[in-house]
Amino acid sequence: DPGATGRAVARVNVFNYVGFVLGAPLVGLVAEGTSLRWGFAVLVPVALVLVLMAGAYRPGQTSSGSRTPASTRMRT
């Protein structure tokens, strides 16, 4: 996978799985102790972190943060 798109898809899937497994219980626990409004408010910082991390999912990005040369990227 010269463009490292497979790696980006795997990262997104890991976050989807973690969000599915931990998201609902987290909202439920906070809502049980306070209110549903605060339960959903807990997700706002999580969403902000995801926005800040969005650049890590750019195709061609390696785990070290460097870009792959244009000559090795897939042409579309």
Side-chain angles (χ1 to χ4, degrees), residues 13-69:
N13 281 335
V14 166
F15 280 103
N16 281 337
Y17 181 75
V18 170
F20 176 76
V21 171
L22 297 179
L26 177 65
V27 170
L29 286 171
V30 173
E32 191 173 319
T34 57
S35 69
L36 190 57
R37 179 177 295 203
W38 282 108
F40 283 117
V42 169
L43 299 177
V44 173
V46 174
L48 292 174
V49 167
L50 289 175
V51 168
L52 294 173
M53 292 177 55
Y57 298 103
R58 201 173 303 139
Q61 193 83 11
T62 62
S63 59
S64 65
S66 62
R67 305 267 311 163
T68 55

